Each structure stands twice: as C-alpha cells, then as structure tokens.
Amino acid sequence: MERVLRTYEEINEKIRSGKVVVVTAEEVIDLVAEKGVEKVAQEVDVVTTGTFGTMCSSGAFLNIGHTKPRMKIHEAYLNGVMAYVGLAAVDLYIGVTQPAKDDPLNKVHPGEFKYGGGHVIQDLVAGKDVLLEAYAYGTDCYPRKHLVTWINLRDLNEAYLFNPRNAYQNYNVAVNLSSKTIYTYLGVLLPNLGNAGYSSAGQLSPLLNDPYYKTIGVGTRIFLGGGVGYVAWQGTQHNPGVERTERGVPKGGAGTIAVIGDLKGMSPHWLWGMSIRGYGCSLAVGLGIPIPILTEEILYYCSVRDEEILAPVVDYSHAYPYGTGEILGYVSYAELRSGKIRLGGKEVPTSSQSSYARAREVALILKSWIQEGKFTLTQPAFPLPGVESGVRFRNLVERPASVNSELVGR
Amino acid sequence: MNATKKVVLRFPSDIADRPLVCELALQFGLRFNILRASISPHREGIMVMEVIGKEKEEIEAGLQYLRQEGIGVESLSQDIRMVEARCVHCGACVGVCPTEALFMEKPSYLVRYDESKCIACEMCILACPTHAMEAVI
Ligand code: SF4
Ligand code: SF4
C-alpha cells in the first residue's frame, strides 16, 4: 500500500487556513522535471486540471414553475428549439445538439446549424430572456393547452446542467483519405489528408491526469461552466479497458464522466453554443477537476506531458462512419499542438476543436478558487469503474425486426 | 475607360504547374495584378488577382477560358474579418487556412488572424463553430 502523504481533511484544513499549495497540471510538469516526483509530492497539495471543448452529450433540466390554470406540457420549444418534456408537468430537458425546429439541417449541405440547444443554454446563462412555447392535450388536473411566454434563468425554480458524457479521456484524431472535403464533429476535413482534427486538452485534461481514477469519482466537486458542479456518475460509453501506454495513459477514448451543476452560478463564457458545419449544434463546456496529491503515485500521474499522450489517427471518410476500427497510426499531443503531424510521409496541418488557452484558464481559475479558500475538495462517495471492473463500451448488436406495420416513427 | 475585376482563382493540384494565367494577356489582351498567391504542395493553389481590360466582356471571356481549363474562378467581393469577442481560441480554423493567415500563437495558444495574408478563400468561415470569422461585403 502506498504511503499516504495527506488526507482530504488535511488538504481542506490547509485551504481554510490559506496554506494550501496548488499548481496546475501544466505547471507541475516543470516542477517535477526540476525537483523530482518525491520532492514535489511533499510540497504540492493539489493539482488543477482543465478542458474547454465541444461536449455533445450535455443538456440542462429546467423547472419553469406552474401556470394558472395548470398545464402538463406535452411539447415545448425554447427559442424555437425543441425541449424534451416526457417528465412531470413543467420539467423540461434541453439537449445541446437539438437544432432549431425550422433549421434546414443538411438539406443544403453542409448545413450551418446556426442555433440549437447549446445556444439556448448559453443565452440562459447570459441572463437573456428566452421564448417558451408550449402545448398540451389538457387533463382534469392540468387543463391548460397553450402557453407562449418569455422566461429568464433567474425566475426558474431549478435549472441545472446535467451532462451524461463529458471530459473524454483522450480522443481520436480525424483525417480524410477521400478526395472530397468532409464535415465532421472534428471539424472540416480537407481531402487527401489535407488536415487533421483533434480535441483534447492533453496534459491539462482532467482524466488524463488521473488515468486510473484514483481520486476522481462520484461526488467529486469540480469547476463546471464557470460555476461549481459535481461528478454525478461514470459518463456514458465509459470504457476504462482500452490499451494503455506504460505510464497508464489510454491510447484512445477511454473514461468519461457524467456531471451536474447549478446553471445559475455558471457563465456564458464557459458554456458556448457551437455550430459545427454539416454536423450540427453543440455546446463547448469548460470543465476542471482538482486532483488531491494523496500519494506520490498520484502526483506522478499528474506530471504526464503531451509527448507521452498518444491519440489514434482515424479516417473519418470511411473507417469511422463504417466502424471498421482501422487505425492509421498514433501521434502525440505534442506533435498535434505543434501545428503539423507527419502521416505516411506527408506533413499534415492540425486543427484543434478544443481550446488549449481556455483549458489553461480553467486550471488557473480553479487554482485561484482553492488558494482563496472558496473551493474545498470532496472525497468521492464511490469510485468510477476502473480497468479491473470489466466495464466495456459495446456496439449495438442489431436484431432485425419485421414489424413494419407497428412502427410509429417517420 | 478600363474595366477591372478582383477574382479568386483556385488551381486543382494537377494543373497548378501550367502557365494558364499568361493566356489572359496573350489571347485576351488583359492585364492583371497578382494580389496574393498561395501554392503549397498537395493542396490546391489559390491566387487572388485584379484583372484589367478595356471592357467587362473581355474580362468575362478571359475568365471563361480559365474556367474551361479547369480553374475555379470566383469574384472577390469581400474581406474576411475576425470578431474577437466571439472567438473561443479552439483552433478549428487554423488547419484549414491555406496561407497561415490564421495561426496559433505560442506559448499563449491564442488564435491570431493576420489579415495581410488572407486570400478570402472562406475556409475559416466554414470551419469556425462560433461564427467568429465573417465576410464583410
Ligand atoms: S479566408 Fe480564412 S481560411 Fe481563407 S485565407 Fe483568409 S483567413 Fe485563411
Ligand atoms: S475556429 Fe473560430 S472560434 Fe475557433 S479559433 Fe478559429 S476563429 Fe476562433
């Protein structure tokens, strides 16, 4: 058993007395290079991480309050974007990838996807009025059938972000081997290996600094959208069992987290509506997690550098859409961030989808919150499933059904 | 009276080495000023130029010739601007910009725009998820 250097309680005591030592996941790299793991682990109490990028599996629950007469909403739109209402009377969930109802989608390819659920959330946190349009079939206890009103975040009973999958631990690098430009969630990809799209904060990214989930678990308090949130569960598609490098870094998309937090404390600077050409709408989320340096080993993992984090290069014109699993090779985040990678003897310019500058800002803000005594650490109530859990991400095994007459969709 | 037109020419990689633009002068009696050009390996070449002729029809005939030879011809009617307040510094535009007019500044990792290098190809407008890059007519 590894020697415990400090406990959560001891760290929080130091935060309260203003004596805590905090560095970011970027700053810790040079410190460790200079002084070594052992010494730095003695000195540093907390390492802060950060990321800011498009996270499609995000959305918010809103309770708008009851109308008079009462209404059990059956269909609702926020600024023209459909919200999910299959919940209690005035509870709504607005998902970030939902485009506006009148969006032409990809009818003229590549579609612009100007406004969607992510933009609604950004407008709400910016304090803007949002138009709610709601319909119902009417019941004895909820007779009202129609409602059009402005709503504002400050008046909502509850409004909380609940993102089923955020902060992917590593991700693909997308390229295009075909002879046509393609439009993907990893950006515009020019033909014949014209560029490469990637999306991870690498050495600053939360789960890449705690590769075996030794400190990040259910209940961990985090920076979310400029406010405070919590890890609610493992994220969807959590896949801890992917191949790892010698220092434990997964060589592809692995762990994920579901997160929750009060929208009322968040900021439009950190929840940014995205319009991804030819793909759809989404939301860029700022998210940061503090890592308590409980042991030397935990500090060692935090000192991971972009050079040591490898991402798989995948052809998004064929291998990705058709799920062939083919990987063209691996490149490090140091290469990706240099602006060019080498693939098959060719120099390929890179386009990032997640902002390293903003990731750094998240880690620095979280650091200052902790130093100023505004943010204490929580011990997880429950760990995320680890490598040994056997939890695996599976593809759907289709079981074709011949029930055409009973189908209800279009 | 002279007629002028600013155009963006796109050369597919297989014809980038043929001297087609000279034909504007030789066959059509047109003059031209090359404003910006970018021909990089493995990529289509792009040239922005001002074509000058006696009449509009002459210019159109010359441009029509270039089109027949497989060159993409579009009129340059706009400048490209970055609305910094909308930029989240992701870098999605950087890898698609053919001239490095958009680049990642180090060590800040902030994305910067050097307008003097821009050839108005509009790739960044397609790539930017926050509508931070826009064409000014
Ligand atoms: S229009 Fe955009 S992508 Fe094209 S050269 Fe100018 S800045 Fe670069
Ligand atoms: S793609 Fe848009 S938001 Fe991203 S760096 Fe370029 S201009 Fe800024």
Side-chain angles (χ1 to χ4, degrees):
Chain A
M1 191 67 195
E2 248 228 302
R3 191 164 68 90
V4 175
L5 299 169
R6 50 182 78 75
T7 64
Y8 282 89
E9 291 72 30
E10 283 162 354
I11 293 173
N12 285 337
E13 201 39 59
K14 285 178 95 176
I15 294 175
R16 279 185 279 268
S17 62
K19 294 201 186 99
V20 68
V21 179
V22 193
V23 297
T24 70
E26 201 179 21
E27 293 162 344
V28 79
I29 293 169
D30 288 344
L31 273 183
V32 167
E34 189 190 316
K35 301 182 179 178
V37 169
E38 197 180 336
K39 188 120 199 299
V40 179
Q42 292 291 337
E43 292 173 8
V44 172
D45 301 305
V46 181
V47 171
T48 59
T49 62
T51 184
F52 178 81
T54 304
M55 304 194 195
C56 287
S57 201
S58 299
F61 283 105
L62 312 174
N63 179 285
I64 59 159
H66 285 284
T67 54
K68 275 187 190 172
R70 288 179 195 271
M71 179 170 180
K72 182 171 121 56
I73 297 176
H74 178 58
E75 190 178 328
Y77 301 89
L78 293 165
N79 283 352
V81 181
M82 191 182 240
Y84 182 72
V85 292
L87 301 159
V90 289
D91 281 339
L92 278 60
Y93 185 79
I94 177 79
V96 302
T97 67
Q98 187 72 43
K101 174 94 187 261
D102 61 0
D103 193 294
L105 308 176
N106 263 341
K107 278 180 201 124
V108 181
H109 191 262
E112 286 189 73
F113 299 98
K114 280 193 178 139
Y115 193 89
H119 300 88
V120 172
I121 291 175
Q122 189 180 21
D123 281 345
L124 277 170
V125 291
K128 293 187 188 165
D129 282 343
V130 166
L131 187 71
L132 168 69
E133 179 187 343
Y135 303 89
Y137 46 80
T139 73
D140 291 339
C141 43
Y142 292 95
R144 186 156 177 180
K145 292 189 177 164
H146 186 220
L147 169 69
V148 177
T149 179
W150 293 104
I151 60 166
N152 192 293
L153 180 63
R154 64 169 185 262
D155 305 322
L156 300 180
N157 288 316
E158 283 80 23
Y160 49 89
L161 206 61
F162 187 93
N163 303 347
R165 178 170 73 254
N166 277 183
Y168 235 121
Q169 188 179 26
N170 211 347
Y171 211 76
N172 289 342
V173 176
V175 294
N176 175 8
L177 295 183
S178 81
S179 54
K180 284 199 322 236
T181 298
I182 59 172
Y183 298 86
T184 74
Y185 64 85
L186 282 171
V188 179
L189 298 175
L190 303 173
N192 309 314
L193 279 176
N195 66 328
Y198 68 101
S199 186
S200 171
Q203 62 193 18
L204 269 169
S205 179
L207 293 177
L208 286 172
N209 280 281
D210 184 11
Y212 291 112
Y213 329 117
K214 286 179 184 292
T215 69
I216 300 171
V218 176
T220 297
R221 185 178 295 137
I222 64 173
F223 172 109
L224 181 61
V228 172
Y230 293 86
V231 175
W233 201 246
Q234 73 209 58
T236 53
Q237 299 184 14
H238 181 69
N239 193 24
V242 300
E243 192 189 338
R244 289 171 186 254
T245 65
E246 270 165 41
R247 65 175 296 160
V249 181
K251 291 171 75 177
T256 70
I257 47 177
V259 299
I260 188 165
D262 191 351
L263 215 51
K264 290 189 188 186
M266 295 188 193
S267 135
H269 184 74
W270 295 112
L271 294 174
W272 205 293
M274 303 294 262
S275 300
I276 304 170
R277 210 38 102 106
Y279 169 74
C281 302
S282 194
L283 183 73
V285 179
L287 192 159
I289 305 186
I291 298 179
I293 304 306
L294 307 175
T295 66
E296 266 177 30
E297 190 188 21
I298 290 168
L299 189 272
Y300 165 74
Y301 288 126
C302 284
S303 66
V304 70
R305 292 175 294 128
D306 276 343
E307 287 79 358
E308 298 161 320
I309 308 171
L310 300 179
V313 182
V314 176
D315 172 26
Y316 271 55
S317 73
H318 184 79
Y320 183 82
Y322 296 99
T324 67
E326 192 191 341
I327 289 168
L328 298 170
Y330 289 89
V331 290
S332 77
Y333 282 93
E335 294 168 85
L336 287 162
R337 237 175 280 293
S338 79
K340 288 189 173 82
I341 55 174
R342 284 203 77 80
L343 280 178
K346 195 179 160 178
E347 208 167 63
V348 181
T350 57
S351 316
S352 167
Q353 298 298 310
S354 95
S355 170
Y356 192 79
R358 286 283 189 93
R360 183 185 272 161
E361 203 183 330
V362 170
L364 285 168
I365 292 173
L366 187 52
K367 172 180 162 178
S368 68
W369 285 359
I370 296 169
Q371 285 171 332
E372 290 160 18
K374 291 195 273 196
F375 187 107
T376 53
L377 272 50
T378 55
Q379 181 158 4
F382 199 73
L384 298 176
V387 176
E388 67 300 329
S389 68
V391 168
R392 283 196 49 177
F393 169 48
R394 282 162 303 191
N395 284 319
L396 176 68
V397 180
E398 290 183 52
R399 292 185 291 134
S402 48
V403 288
N404 276 328
S405 59
E406 292 155 41
L407 298 180
V408 295
R410 67 195 157 104
Chain B
M1 252 277 289
N2 274 346
T4 66
K5 186 169 184 178
K6 279 189 190 169
V7 290
V8 182
L9 305 182
R10 292 166 195 269
F11 300 79
S13 45
D14 51 325
I15 60 165
D17 50 353
R18 286 173 55 201
L20 296 166
V21 172
C22 319
E23 298 295 328
L24 290 181
L26 297 172
Q27 283 193 40
F28 299 92
L30 299 168
R31 286 177 292 136
F32 50 86
N33 285 326
I34 295 176
L35 302 174
R36 294 162 206 157
S38 148
I39 314 271
S40 36
H42 316 297
R43 285 219 175 166
E44 64 169 10
I46 297 175
M47 192 182 276
V48 182
M49 63 185 199
E50 188 175 30
V51 191
I52 307 152
K54 282 208 190 61
E55 279 162 40
K56 255 175 76 181
E57 290 68 30
E58 278 180 10
I59 295 177
E60 285 313 317
L63 297 177
Q64 192 51 36
Y65 163 80
L66 294 182
R67 283 195 190 96
Q68 277 162 13
E69 293 296 322
I71 299 176
V73 182
E74 287 152 41
S75 51
L76 176 80
S77 51
Q78 56 211 11
D79 282 323
I80 305 296
R81 146 176 103 178
M82 179 192 251
V83 185
E84 283 182 27
R86 278 194 225 134
C87 174
V88 296
H89 301 280
C90 58
C93 54
V94 171
V96 297
C97 176
T99 64
E100 294 179 17
L102 286 157
F103 60 98
M104 190 80 80
E105 181 186 87
K106 309 258 170 70
S108 70
Y109 288 96
L110 295 170
V111 173
R112 301 294 185 201
Y113 173 48
D114 177 355
E115 204 176 340
S116 68
K117 287 193 184 161
C118 174
I119 56 163
C121 72
E122 300 192 10
M123 281 309 297
C124 54
I125 297 180
L126 285 175
C128 176
T130 65
H131 312 293
M133 299 305 296
E134 58 182 33
V136 196
I137 315 280

XYZ file of all heavy atoms in Angstrom, chain A residues 52 110 114 183 188 190 194-195 272-277 337-338 340 346 349-358 360, chain B residues 42-43 85-96 100 104 106-110 123 125-131:
455
model
N -11.648 22.724 -22.255
C -12.747 23.516 -22.814
C -12.938 23.061 -24.247
O -12.102 23.318 -25.109
C -12.421 25.020 -22.780
C -13.506 25.878 -23.383
C -14.623 26.220 -22.639
C -13.413 26.331 -24.682
C -15.631 27.004 -23.193
C -14.423 27.124 -25.240
C -15.522 27.460 -24.490
N -22.968 21.758 -46.868
C -23.027 21.457 -45.436
C -23.881 22.464 -44.664
O -23.681 23.673 -44.795
C -21.558 21.596 -45.021
C -20.985 22.611 -45.972
C -21.748 22.488 -47.250
N -27.254 27.082 -37.274
C -26.972 28.365 -36.625
C -27.338 28.418 -35.158
O -26.675 29.094 -34.378
C -27.739 29.464 -37.363
C -27.045 29.900 -38.627
C -27.652 31.193 -39.139
C -26.924 31.651 -40.380
N -27.823 32.167 -41.394
N -17.367 17.039 -43.597
C -17.740 17.932 -42.485
C -18.089 17.068 -41.289
O -19.093 16.350 -41.316
C -18.916 18.812 -42.910
C -18.540 19.688 -44.076
C -18.646 19.225 -45.385
C -18.026 20.957 -43.870
C -18.262 20.011 -46.460
C -17.635 21.754 -44.924
C -17.752 21.276 -46.217
O -17.364 22.061 -47.275
N -13.938 20.597 -40.247
C -13.882 20.445 -41.696
C -12.597 19.691 -42.008
O -11.517 20.094 -41.568
C -13.848 21.833 -42.382
C -13.777 21.678 -43.896
C -15.058 22.662 -41.974
N -10.169 18.394 -44.942
C -9.848 18.567 -46.352
C -9.423 17.228 -46.959
O -8.900 16.359 -46.259
C -8.730 19.603 -46.493
C -9.055 20.968 -45.867
C -7.842 21.886 -45.907
C -10.232 21.606 -46.576
N -5.636 16.413 -46.092
C -5.370 17.851 -46.142
C -5.167 18.480 -44.779
O -4.485 19.492 -44.645
N -5.773 17.925 -43.757
C -5.573 18.414 -42.387
C -6.031 17.319 -41.420
O -6.570 16.291 -41.842
C -6.326 19.729 -42.135
C -7.831 19.556 -42.197
O -8.328 18.713 -42.949
N -8.553 20.319 -41.427
N -20.617 27.606 -24.251
C -20.629 28.352 -25.505
C -21.337 27.531 -26.605
O -20.867 26.447 -26.944
C -19.187 28.665 -25.914
C -19.089 29.867 -26.787
C -19.568 29.977 -28.058
C -18.508 31.143 -26.452
N -19.315 31.242 -28.536
C -18.666 31.973 -27.580
C -17.869 31.658 -25.336
C -18.204 33.289 -27.612
C -17.404 32.970 -25.379
C -17.582 33.769 -26.500
N -22.425 28.073 -27.128
C -23.156 27.389 -28.201
C -22.291 27.236 -29.441
O -21.633 28.181 -29.851
N -22.286 26.046 -30.013
C -21.426 25.783 -31.168
C -22.275 25.393 -32.383
O -23.288 24.703 -32.244
C -20.456 24.630 -30.863
C -19.569 24.855 -29.639
S -18.391 26.215 -29.826
C -16.920 25.306 -30.275
N -21.836 25.830 -33.562
C -22.481 25.481 -34.831
C -21.439 24.790 -35.685
O -20.555 25.447 -36.228
C -22.948 26.749 -35.547
O -23.866 27.455 -34.747
N -21.531 23.478 -35.762
C -20.485 22.738 -36.470
C -20.985 22.382 -37.866
O -21.928 21.613 -38.017
C -20.076 21.493 -35.656
C -19.646 21.941 -34.259
C -18.950 20.739 -36.367
C -19.450 20.811 -33.283
N -20.365 23.013 -38.851
C -20.796 22.925 -40.242
C -21.022 21.479 -40.702
O -20.159 20.629 -40.550
C -19.719 23.576 -41.082
C -20.097 24.240 -42.374
C -21.361 24.982 -42.396
N -21.177 26.406 -42.310
C -21.327 27.246 -43.345
N -21.719 26.826 -44.515
N -21.129 28.535 -43.188
N -0.112 19.655 -31.227
C -0.122 21.053 -30.839
C 0.971 21.874 -31.537
O 0.916 23.094 -31.559
C 0.001 21.181 -29.317
C -1.153 21.960 -28.722
C -1.129 22.013 -27.234
N -1.640 20.824 -26.587
C -2.899 20.432 -26.636
N -3.795 21.110 -27.301
N -3.296 19.324 -26.024
N 1.949 21.197 -32.137
C 2.986 21.933 -32.879
C 2.404 22.526 -34.158
O 3.003 23.389 -34.780
C 4.142 20.994 -33.224
O 3.781 20.190 -34.346
N 1.575 20.704 -36.886
C 1.717 19.781 -38.015
C 2.052 18.388 -37.501
O 2.816 18.261 -36.545
C 2.835 20.243 -38.944
C 2.456 21.462 -39.740
C 3.491 21.781 -40.805
C 3.005 22.902 -41.707
N 3.225 24.238 -41.150
N 3.798 12.483 -45.223
C 3.240 13.783 -45.590
C 3.099 14.661 -44.354
O 2.786 14.169 -43.275
C 1.863 13.536 -46.211
C 1.332 14.712 -46.944
C -0.021 14.413 -47.565
C -0.690 15.755 -47.826
N -1.979 15.639 -48.472
N -1.308 19.652 -41.630
C -1.630 20.685 -40.631
C -2.747 20.216 -39.697
O -3.635 19.474 -40.123
C -2.104 21.877 -41.468
C -2.044 21.479 -42.885
C -1.709 20.031 -42.986
N -2.709 20.669 -38.451
C -3.713 20.212 -37.483
C -4.685 21.334 -37.120
O -4.328 22.502 -37.091
C -3.042 19.711 -36.195
O -2.228 20.747 -35.643
C -2.183 18.499 -36.471
N -5.929 20.925 -36.849
C -6.971 21.850 -36.385
C -7.495 21.295 -35.071
O -7.962 20.168 -35.021
C -8.157 21.890 -37.347
O -7.757 21.951 -38.683
N -7.451 22.122 -34.031
C -7.947 21.660 -32.740
C -9.400 22.069 -32.577
O -9.803 23.140 -33.015
C -7.100 22.279 -31.636
O -7.740 22.098 -30.405
N -10.183 21.234 -31.951
C -11.571 21.606 -31.669
C -11.725 22.073 -30.234
O -12.744 22.624 -29.859
C -12.513 20.414 -31.908
C -12.510 19.927 -33.322
C -12.997 20.976 -34.290
O -14.044 21.576 -34.100
N -12.231 21.231 -35.334
N -10.736 21.786 -29.407
C -10.847 22.210 -28.014
C -9.737 23.220 -27.759
O -8.650 23.107 -28.293
C -10.768 20.997 -27.087
O -9.465 20.777 -26.623
N -10.036 24.230 -26.972
C -9.110 25.344 -26.816
C -8.120 25.090 -25.691
O -8.491 24.977 -24.526
C -9.897 26.617 -26.517
O -9.018 27.645 -26.140
N -6.845 25.043 -26.047
C -5.823 24.845 -25.026
C -5.708 26.087 -24.140
O -5.542 25.991 -22.929
C -4.475 24.521 -25.675
C -3.456 24.028 -24.687
C -3.501 22.710 -24.240
C -2.476 24.868 -24.169
C -2.580 22.249 -23.313
C -1.562 24.408 -23.241
C -1.618 23.097 -22.820
O -0.714 22.645 -21.895
N -5.852 27.270 -24.769
C -5.754 28.523 -23.992
C -6.853 28.563 -22.926
O -6.611 28.939 -21.774
C -5.876 29.724 -24.924
N -8.057 28.153 -23.317
C -9.169 28.157 -22.371
C -9.016 27.054 -21.314
O -9.421 27.220 -20.165
C -10.490 27.966 -23.113
C -10.944 29.198 -23.885
C -11.533 30.215 -22.919
N -12.171 31.324 -23.602
C -13.474 31.370 -23.914
N -14.265 30.381 -23.619
N -13.967 32.420 -24.525
N -6.258 26.036 -20.088
C -5.271 26.578 -19.153
C -5.944 27.573 -18.206
O -5.689 27.573 -17.006
C -4.194 27.264 -19.981
C -3.062 27.829 -19.195
C -2.146 28.585 -20.125
N -1.122 27.768 -20.746
C -0.463 28.129 -21.852
N -0.748 29.262 -22.466
N 0.483 27.355 -22.341
N 0.584 19.438 -52.389
C -0.554 18.568 -52.038
C -1.859 19.325 -51.879
O -2.840 18.773 -51.459
C -0.327 17.791 -50.739
C 1.023 17.200 -50.622
N 1.465 16.246 -51.496
C 2.012 17.428 -49.737
C 2.703 15.919 -51.149
N 3.053 16.617 -50.086
N -1.854 20.613 -52.151
C -3.077 21.365 -51.933
C -3.407 22.093 -53.203
O -2.539 22.369 -54.013
C -2.855 22.411 -50.856
C -2.797 21.848 -49.506
C -3.506 22.801 -48.621
N -3.595 22.261 -47.287
C -3.922 22.985 -46.248
N -4.188 24.250 -46.397
N -4.011 22.440 -45.079
N -14.481 38.924 -30.027
C -15.336 38.610 -28.872
C -16.027 37.263 -29.024
O -16.454 36.664 -28.046
C -16.374 39.708 -28.669
N -16.138 36.795 -30.271
C -16.804 35.509 -30.481
C -15.811 34.349 -30.580
O -16.211 33.200 -30.698
C -17.613 35.557 -31.777
C -18.949 36.215 -31.599
C -19.815 35.922 -32.820
N -20.462 37.139 -33.240
C -20.544 37.574 -34.498
N -20.007 36.873 -35.475
N -21.142 38.681 -34.789
N -14.533 34.644 -30.591
C -13.540 33.580 -30.789
C -13.234 32.897 -29.459
O -12.938 33.556 -28.469
C -12.262 34.174 -31.374
S -10.936 32.965 -31.498
N -13.327 31.569 -29.444
C -13.003 30.824 -28.216
C -11.613 30.194 -28.310
O -11.233 29.371 -27.486
C -14.068 29.752 -27.899
C -15.419 30.400 -27.618
C -14.180 28.717 -29.006
N -10.866 30.548 -29.349
C -9.486 30.079 -29.499
C -9.366 28.569 -29.551
O -8.455 27.986 -28.979
C -8.593 30.670 -28.393
C -8.595 32.161 -28.411
N -7.843 32.892 -29.292
C -9.325 33.060 -27.713
C -8.080 34.182 -29.127
N -8.984 34.315 -28.172
N -10.308 27.946 -30.249
C -10.238 26.493 -30.349
C -9.143 26.082 -31.326
O -8.394 25.146 -31.072
C -11.592 25.914 -30.764
S -12.239 26.521 -32.320
N -9.074 26.759 -32.459
C -8.082 26.387 -33.466
C -8.667 25.596 -34.624
O -7.942 25.127 -35.494
N -9.999 25.477 -34.668
C -10.625 24.710 -35.752
C -10.336 25.332 -37.114
O -10.321 24.651 -38.128
C -12.135 24.627 -35.525
N -10.100 26.637 -37.138
C -9.853 27.325 -38.401
C -8.401 27.195 -38.859
O -8.093 27.356 -40.036
C -10.183 28.800 -38.230
S -9.299 29.551 -36.840
N -7.509 26.930 -37.918
C -6.072 27.037 -38.201
C -5.611 26.037 -39.268
O -4.932 26.406 -40.226
C -5.261 26.875 -36.896
C -3.773 26.757 -37.188
C -5.529 28.046 -35.964
N -6.009 24.784 -39.113
C -5.522 23.746 -40.040
C -6.138 23.817 -41.425
O -5.648 23.165 -42.343
N -7.208 24.582 -41.601
C -7.819 24.671 -42.931
C -7.419 25.948 -43.656
O -7.730 26.122 -44.827
C -9.370 24.580 -42.888
C -9.812 23.233 -42.349
C -9.973 25.708 -42.076
N -1.815 30.341 -43.651
C -1.388 30.626 -42.280
C -1.742 32.048 -41.841
O -1.110 32.616 -40.951
C 0.103 30.318 -42.072
C 0.352 28.828 -42.214
C 1.797 28.407 -42.052
O 2.605 29.187 -41.527
O 2.101 27.263 -42.451
N -1.835 29.752 -34.516
C -1.858 29.596 -33.067
C -0.598 30.252 -32.526
O 0.514 29.820 -32.836
C -1.871 28.088 -32.779
C -2.120 27.668 -31.388
S -3.831 27.672 -30.850
C -4.534 26.180 -31.489
N 2.216 31.049 -29.905
C 2.805 30.299 -28.795
C 3.584 31.272 -27.920
O 4.181 32.201 -28.454
C 3.759 29.226 -29.323
C 3.148 28.350 -30.404
C 2.734 27.001 -29.863
C 1.908 26.223 -30.876
N 2.552 25.716 -32.042
N 3.655 31.121 -26.622
C 3.074 29.996 -25.889
C 1.650 30.244 -25.393
O 1.137 29.441 -24.629
C 4.018 29.881 -24.687
C 4.445 31.296 -24.420
C 4.453 32.004 -25.738
N 1.001 31.318 -25.835
C -0.334 31.606 -25.280
C -1.403 30.654 -25.823
O -2.444 30.492 -25.209
C -0.736 33.044 -25.623
O -0.999 33.154 -27.014
N -1.150 30.060 -26.980
C -2.134 29.214 -27.659
C -3.414 29.967 -27.995
O -4.485 29.382 -28.126
C -2.428 27.922 -26.880
C -1.273 26.963 -26.954
C -0.325 26.919 -25.945
C -1.103 26.139 -28.061
C 0.767 26.084 -26.020
C -0.014 25.292 -28.149
C 0.913 25.267 -27.133
O 1.986 24.429 -27.217
N -3.287 31.279 -28.133
C -4.414 32.076 -28.615
C -4.339 32.088 -30.142
O -3.255 32.133 -30.714
C -4.338 33.501 -28.066
C -4.497 33.602 -26.537
C -4.166 35.008 -26.064
C -5.903 33.196 -26.117
N -12.516 29.379 -46.118
C -12.490 28.079 -45.432
C -12.746 28.251 -43.935
O -13.395 27.440 -43.305
C -11.127 27.390 -45.634
C -10.943 26.711 -46.966
S -12.278 25.596 -47.406
C -12.158 24.379 -46.098
N -14.567 30.373 -42.491
C -15.981 30.634 -42.198
C -16.722 29.307 -42.083
O -17.579 29.125 -41.222
C -16.597 31.542 -43.282
C -15.885 32.897 -43.247
C -18.100 31.704 -43.082
C -16.388 33.898 -44.248
N -16.339 28.351 -42.926
C -16.929 27.015 -42.831
C -16.509 26.325 -41.541
O -17.283 25.612 -40.914
C -16.457 26.140 -44.006
C -17.064 26.401 -45.371
C -16.361 25.521 -46.402
C -18.546 26.073 -45.350
N -15.258 26.522 -41.156
C -14.703 25.732 -40.048
C -15.032 26.306 -38.675
O -15.027 25.581 -37.689
C -13.182 25.628 -40.197
N -15.322 27.605 -38.593
C -15.468 28.215 -37.268
C -16.827 27.908 -36.647
O -17.858 28.264 -37.201
C -15.277 29.725 -37.355
S -15.557 30.497 -35.753
N -16.848 27.276 -35.481
C -18.122 26.892 -34.865
C -18.823 28.023 -34.108
O -19.925 27.843 -33.618
C -17.725 25.770 -33.905
C -16.295 26.025 -33.583
C -15.693 26.733 -34.753
N -18.181 29.189 -33.995
C -18.792 30.265 -33.211
C -19.141 31.485 -34.055
O -19.446 32.541 -33.511
C -17.841 30.720 -32.083
O -16.691 31.293 -32.688
C -17.422 29.575 -31.185
N -19.064 31.370 -35.366
C -19.329 32.479 -36.279
C -18.398 33.664 -36.006
O -18.783 34.816 -36.169
C -20.788 32.954 -36.175
C -21.788 31.843 -36.228
N -22.002 31.086 -37.347
C -22.611 31.334 -35.283
C -22.914 30.173 -37.103
N -23.299 30.291 -35.854
